[in-house]
Amino acid sequence: MTARDFTIFETRDALVAAAAGRIAAILATVGPRGAVCLTGGSTIGPVHRALAAPPLRDKIPVDRLDWFFGDERFVPAGHELSNAAQARATLLEPLGVPAERIHAVPTAAATPQAAADAYARTLAAWYGAGRLDPSRPLFDLVLLGMGADGHVASLFPGQPGVEETERWVVGVDEAGHPPHVARVSLTLQALASSRALLFIVAGSDKRPALSRVLSGDDLPAARVRSMGPVVWLVDRAAAPERPSKDRS
Ligand SMILES: O=C(O)[C@H](O)[C@@H](O)[C@H](O)[C@H](O)COP(=O)(O)O
């Protein structure tokens, strides 16, 4: 099983600073053609802003990175709920990322599954193959949050997307967690095709799910794998009172 690396920060601000520093350090090591998989949600916004500001912005090799999304709300581009709109505003535009290096989920498609199929084609075209090679990760870095129900990306407990083993991207007609809009989500196998993977989790509402993950309960967040360690960066509010023995 993928090793788990778990660090608790006393405050959310400390978590944000540490996460941004860790991300910049990982991205500074990418080769000539790197790929980042961004997350949505509210926790990541301050991390984006820290990355887009000095001194970290200068460590990010904008000319060697393409940017993708682990999931997206099925809303028009630019919509206030759009993960891509958030990332453009808080990170990608301030960094000066060229438009052609930003690969947003095509939510203008007729259905979430049509958007998912198109996005899978985008990923495969960038990767240069339609099957993931365990020795060659799709992403240099995957960033994930975790919902209070233990979901990751838009893979919600009990929904078929969690069990998907063939597709790289799935449409999600009913989000199992607010905002209750349809979604498009990468699957666990696509997220696992990563050289590095960071969870960034903050807030007391996440403590029950995080306790369950660490106790071995089968939540989507517990199924996340990577070719490197699965790194959890959490604040004290989200951390279990006495972290259960990590069964990694
Ligand atoms: O589209 C989304 O909402 C995210 O990708 C989702 O997986 C998010 O990371 C978690 O729900 C945590 O969200 P918060 O950071 O807002 O708690």
Side-chain angles (χ1 to χ4, degrees):
M1 176 185 283
T2 302
R4 247 193 220 130
D5 170 331
F6 190 87
T7 306
I8 300 170
F9 298 89
E10 286 309 315
T11 65
R12 186 182 285 237
D13 287 349
L15 166 63
V16 166
R22 191 85 172 251
I23 293 165
I26 292 168
L27 296 185
T29 66
V30 299
R33 196 169 172 272
V36 189
C37 183
L38 295 173
T39 182
S42 56
T43 306
I44 201 67
V47 178
H48 284 170
R49 282 189 284 274
L51 283 168
L56 294 181
R57 62 177 290 114
D58 303 325
K59 295 178 71 171
I60 302 194
V62 170
D63 59 339
R64 307 201 310 269
L65 285 172
D66 280 63
W67 303 79
F68 300 86
F69 295 87
D71 71 326
E72 185 57 278
R73 290 76 178 276
F74 194 63
V75 295
H79 189 281
E80 63 175 0
L81 289 179
S82 162
N83 290 337
Q86 170 181 239
R88 288 181 196 277
T90 57
L91 177 63
L92 304 176
E93 287 166 7
L95 280 182
V97 175
E100 64 270 16
R101 285 184 178 274
I102 302 171
H103 307 281
V105 176
T107 55
T111 64
Q113 192 54 53
D117 294 343
Y119 204 50
R121 290 193 292 273
T122 296
L123 288 167
W126 192 88
Y127 186 62
R131 293 194 70 77
L132 292 169
D133 173 350
S135 67
R136 183 169 71 92
L138 169 57
F139 298 115
D140 290 88
L141 174 61
V142 167
L143 298 179
L144 289 174
M146 184 188 70
D149 59 351
H151 81 259
V152 292
S154 287
L155 302 174
F156 299 99
Q159 289 201 1
V162 179
E163 309 300 336
E164 175 60 46
T165 56
E166 289 304 314
R167 294 175 184 270
W168 296 10
V169 194
V170 290
V172 180
D173 292 329
E174 281 287 317
H177 185 277
H180 286 289
V181 294
R183 310 287 190 91
V184 177
S185 183
L186 266 59
T187 56
L188 289 170
Q189 70 158 332
L191 297 171
S193 186
S194 47
R195 182 164 62 88
L197 186 146
L198 298 184
F199 270 103
I200 301 164
V201 180
S204 58
D205 61 321
K206 307 296 174 72
R207 177 176 288 176
L210 190 48
S211 300
R212 290 185 57 197
V213 167
L214 295 178
S215 303
D217 284 12
D218 184 21
L219 292 174
R223 294 199 185 187
V224 169
R225 298 293 180 270
S226 173
M227 295 167 76
V230 174
V231 176
W232 289 84
L233 304 178
V234 307
D235 72 353
R236 175 63 62 191
E241 295 285 355
R242 282 169 294 286
S244 328
K245 180 168 171 10
D246 181 346
R247 295 186 189 169
S248 60

